[in-house]
Amino acid sequence: MEENIENINIEVKLFLEAVFLKYGYDFRNYSLAHIKRRILHRLSISQIESISLMQDRVLRDPDFFQQILLDFSINVTEMFRDPDFYQAIRKEVIPLLKTYPFIKIWHAGCSTGEEVFSMAILLQEEGLLEKTQIYATDFNQKVLKQAKQGIFSVENVKEWTQNYLRAGGKESFSDYYVANYNSVIMNKNLSENILFAHHNLVTDQVFSEVNMIICRNVLIYFERALQNRVIGLFKESLLPGGILCLGSKESLQFNENASSFSPLVAKEKIYRKNYMIPNLFEV
Amino acid sequence: MDYKIIVIGTSAGGLDALKKLLPVFPPAFPVPIVIVQHLSSRSNGFMIQYLNSISSVRVKEAEEKELLAPATVYFAPPNYHLLIEDNQTLSLSVEKKVNYARPSIDVLFESAAYAFGKSIIGVILTGANHDGAKGLAQIKRAGGYTIVQSPETAYSGSMPKAAIAQTNPDRIISIDEIGIVLRDLFMKKPNRFI
Ligand SMILES: C[S@@+](CC[C@H](N)C(=O)[O-])C[C@H]1O[C@@H](n2cnc3c(N)ncnc32)[C@H](O)[C@@H]1O
C-alpha cells in the first residue's frame, strides 16, 4: 500500500502533465488532495485499471477529457448561497455602487449561473441592474451553456426561496421566474446585461476594468502560488476602490497581494482595492 | 510506531463524546487532531468555542491552506468537505454531499490516508449513519491504526457498527479508554529502569 501511494502520486503528476500538454488546461497547481480524489473516483467508476491507463485514454479521447474537466471543476452552486453575504452586499456595497454612473461586474468561476442571477435580482431590486454590465466567466463550456439558458431544475427552488428571503429579498422570489414542468425559466430582463464568456483564471489574462469582482468558492481549489496569481489578476482588473468578494471560507490572509486591499466587510470576505496613496512616511 | 496525525469522525452524540475526549490531551500533545463532526449547515461556532474552553489543546475551525500544527484540534467548517494535503496543509471543497453529509468523514479519512499512509490514527465515534466506514477501511489498508468506539457504549451505535463491518479495527473501546490509549501512545515517558 505504501508503495502504492507513491505510485499514485507519480501517476497523478504525469496525468496532469499530459492533460496540460494535450489540452492546455493546467491543473498542476490545483489542490492535490482534491485532484487525487477526483481521479481516483473516476478510476473506480470506469473500467480502467490504473491512472497510467487513464492517461493513455485521455490523450486519445477528447470526450473523455471533457468528462475529466467536469470531474475537476466542482460546479456545485446555488441561488443566494450564504444569504448573509448578500445582506452585506445590500448594506455596504450597494451604496457605493449607487454613486457610479455605470457599473461593471465580473463573476469569475460562475458555474451554471445561479450566483449571477442572484446578483442580477439584487441589483434590480436596488434599481441598478439597467446601468450594470455583468461579465460572467468560467473555464467550463458546458456549465456556461447551461448558465446562458437561465433554466434551472425546480427541485432546488424551495431552498433558494428561503435563501432569497434570508438574503433580504424585497419581493417574492417567484416573481423572477416562470415555472414550466420540472424547471424554472428566469425572466429574460435579468440576463439582458449579462455576458457569459469562457475565461480560464490559470492561463488567461485580464480582459476588462471592472468595479466589482465576485469569485467565490473557486480559490479553495488552488494552491497558494496559484491563488497569488489569480488575486494579482483581480488586482489589475479592479478599478481603484473596486470591490472584491471571495467565498465565506476564503481570505486574503496569506495572499501576497493582501496589502493592496482593505476589508470592507471582513466576516463576509468583502474587500476593497486601495486607492494609490503616496507613502507619507517615506522621505 | 511513529504516528503523525489523528483524524476523528463523529455524528449524532458527538459533542458529548468529544467533551470527554478532548480535555484528555495535554497542552504539549505532539500531533494535530482533525475532526469531522456532522452539524447542520447553519450551525455557528459555539461548539468550537465551548470545546476550546474546556481543553488544554487549541480547538479551532479549519481554514483553507492552513498548515497543521501540533497540540491543535481542527474542525471542518459546516457545509464544506475538509481534505488533508501531502504538504500537511488543509483544503476545503464544496463538492456535493457524500453519504448525505458535507463535511463527510469518508472524504477527510481518504485524503488523510493518501497524504499520511501508515502514520495516521483514524477514530470513529458515535453516529447514526454510515459515513466514515469506507474511510476507516482506507486508513487500515494504508497501514494506519484504527480505533472505533464500542457500539454499546456509544450514544448511537450505527456508525461504529458500520465501521466495524468494513474494517477489522485495532481497538473497539469506550470513549474513556480511547482517551487513555491516544494519550499513552504519544505521551509515554521513556522507561528508565530497563
Ligand atoms: C464551486 S463552483 C463556484 C460557483 C459559484 N461561484 C458559487 O460560489 O456558488 C467553482 C467553479 O469554478 C470554476 N473553475 C475552476 N477552475 C477554474 C479556472 N481555472 N478558471 C475559471 N473557472 C474555473 C469551475 O468550473 C466551477 O464552475
Side-chain angles (χ1 to χ4, degrees):
Chain A
M1 184 68 199
E2 251 209 293
E3 199 220 34
N4 249 341
I5 292 178
E6 197 194 344
N7 284 352
I8 286 173
N9 281 334
I10 294 171
E11 286 180 293
V12 165
K13 280 219 168 74
L14 294 172
F15 184 87
L16 297 182
E17 204 65 41
V19 163
F20 176 59
L21 291 174
K22 175 80 186 195
Y23 299 100
Y25 280 83
D26 191 351
F27 291 100
R28 294 174 300 176
N29 295 305
Y30 275 54
S31 146
L32 190 60
H34 158 68
I35 291 289
K36 231 188 273 182
R37 178 176 168 73
R38 302 313 300 165
I39 289 182
L40 291 169
H41 180 253
R42 179 54 47 197
L43 194 65
S44 75
I45 57 176
S46 48
Q47 312 295 331
I48 307 175
E49 261 165 53
S50 70
I51 302 172
S52 301
L53 291 170
M54 210 160 101
Q55 176 187 321
D56 186 80
R57 168 94 181 266
V58 82
L59 282 176
R60 286 166 182 77
D61 181 351
D63 290 339
F64 187 67
F65 168 66
Q66 289 304 324
Q67 181 60 58
I68 293 293
L69 188 58
L70 272 179
D71 287 344
F72 286 177
S73 64
I74 300 298
N75 299 117
V76 178
T77 184
E78 58 190 81
M79 294 259 186
F80 295 98
R81 175 183 230 157
D82 309 317
D84 291 350
F85 165 72
Y86 289 91
Q87 292 254 16
I89 293 284
R90 266 192 215 269
K91 265 237 248 0
E92 307 293 336
V93 178
I94 292 295
L96 294 173
L97 296 182
K98 281 194 170 153
T99 64
Y100 301 146
F102 186 74
I103 306 160
K104 281 197 205 171
I105 298 179
W106 177 17
H107 284 266
C110 67
S111 190
T112 37
E114 283 85 336
E115 179 186 271
V116 190
F117 280 98
S118 306
M119 195 56 74
I121 288 171
L122 192 156
L123 291 167
Q124 170 151 324
E125 290 184 358
E126 299 294 338
L128 293 178
L129 187 57
E130 276 173 11
K131 64 166 182 172
T132 305
Q133 172 67 54
I134 299 180
Y135 304 99
T137 63
D138 203 284
F139 77 159
N140 184 329
Q141 293 285 12
K142 195 167 166 187
V143 293
L144 279 174
K145 212 170 127 192
Q146 253 173 285
K148 263 181 221 165
Q149 290 177 335
I151 302 177
F152 301 101
S153 158
V154 80
E155 74 183 290
N156 302 315
V157 167
K158 205 171 138 203
E159 194 192 335
W160 294 352
T161 305
Q162 285 170 4
N163 283 357
Y164 168 79
L165 292 172
R166 289 176 46 228
K170 292 181 173 169
E171 311 291 333
S172 161
F173 187 57
S174 59
D175 291 349
Y176 296 105
Y177 61 79
V178 181
N180 182 20
Y181 299 104
N182 295 324
S183 48
V184 295
I185 305 165
M186 302 310 289
N187 292 350
K188 275 280 163 294
N189 76 305
L190 290 173
S191 49
E192 258 161 26
N193 296 341
I194 305 176
L195 199 76
F196 288 101
H198 187 270
H199 182 276
N200 189 334
L201 288 166
V202 182
T203 42
D204 291 337
Q205 298 303 316
V206 171
F207 67 88
S208 179
E209 287 202 307
V210 298
N211 304 99
M212 170 147 102
I213 294 177
I214 296 142
C215 182
R216 309 192 75 221
N217 303 305
V218 182
L219 294 182
I220 43 175
Y221 295 103
F222 297 174
E223 275 296 339
R224 280 229 181 122
L226 189 50
Q227 291 184 346
N228 284 335
R229 176 195 196 268
V230 174
I231 296 294
L233 201 69
F234 292 163
K235 185 177 88 180
E236 269 180 69
S237 202
L238 277 172
L239 291 157
I243 307 291
L244 173 63
C245 305
L246 303 180
S248 305
K249 300 298 173 193
E250 293 163 332
S251 87
L252 292 180
Q253 200 185 344
F254 303 115
N255 201 278
E256 66 182 23
N257 291 299
S259 61
S260 303
F261 295 88
S262 307
L264 184 65
V265 187
K267 191 173 159 284
E268 296 303 331
K269 309 299 154 60
I270 302 176
Y271 300 87
R272 204 161 180 205
K273 181 177 156 183
N274 297 334
Y275 290 93
M276 300 289 206
I277 303 169
N279 191 342
L280 301 176
F281 301 102
E282 226 163 305
V283 195
Chain B
M1 187 281 303
D2 194 8
Y3 297 112
K4 297 203 176 79
I5 186 168
I6 300 171
V7 291
I8 300 175
T10 180
S11 183
L15 181 56
D16 278 329
L18 293 170
K19 239 157 71 179
K20 288 191 184 156
L21 182 61
L22 298 190
V24 167
F25 301 115
F29 198 65
V31 299
I33 301 164
V34 186
I35 303 182
V36 162
Q37 149 93 72
H38 295 156
L39 286 170
S40 101
S41 65
R42 260 179 259 161
S43 61
N44 54 28
F46 164 77
M47 177 190 71
I48 289 177
Q49 260 178 35
Y50 171 69
L51 290 172
N52 189 47
S53 72
I54 61 167
S55 308
S56 318
V57 289
R58 189 165 70 120
V59 182
K60 69 185 294 292
E61 186 175 278
E63 291 171 73
E64 64 112 17
K65 302 292 158 333
E66 180 170 16
L67 189 62
L68 288 167
T72 310
V73 177
Y74 303 87
F75 273 94
N79 229 355
Y80 288 80
H81 293 299
L82 177 62
L83 296 90
I84 302 181
E85 303 280 348
D86 291 16
N87 64 7
Q88 322 238 329
T89 61
L90 296 170
S91 282
L92 301 176
S93 172
V94 293
E95 195 186 318
K96 65 178 191 305
K97 292 181 176 179
V98 174
N99 307 318
Y100 309 102
R102 189 173 56 205
S104 147
I105 301 166
D106 276 346
V107 172
L108 172 68
F109 280 22
E110 284 168 15
S111 74
Y114 283 112
F116 282 86
K118 65 176 171 27
S119 322
I120 182 167
I121 299 175
V123 184
I124 291 286
L125 304 178
T126 165
N129 52 67
H130 295 175
D131 194 19
K134 219 174 133 218
L136 196 74
Q138 186 70 39
I139 288 176
K140 178 92 186 186
R141 271 200 301 279
Y145 195 72
T146 52
I147 303 177
V148 175
Q149 185 178 8
S150 46
E152 69 281 2
T153 67
Y155 171 84
S156 172
S158 309
M159 211 156 85
K161 277 186 204 151
I164 294 165
Q166 281 205 31
T167 321
N168 185 12
D170 296 292
R171 307 297 288 267
I172 303 176
I173 46 182
S174 71
I175 193 75
D176 294 326
E177 293 166 302
I178 293 175
I180 295 167
V181 166
L182 289 179
R183 195 187 45 203
D184 288 356
L185 270 174
F186 291 99
M187 302 308 288
K188 260 226 168 87
K189 304 254 162 13
N191 191 336
R192 289 183 218 150
F193 302 106
I194 301 184

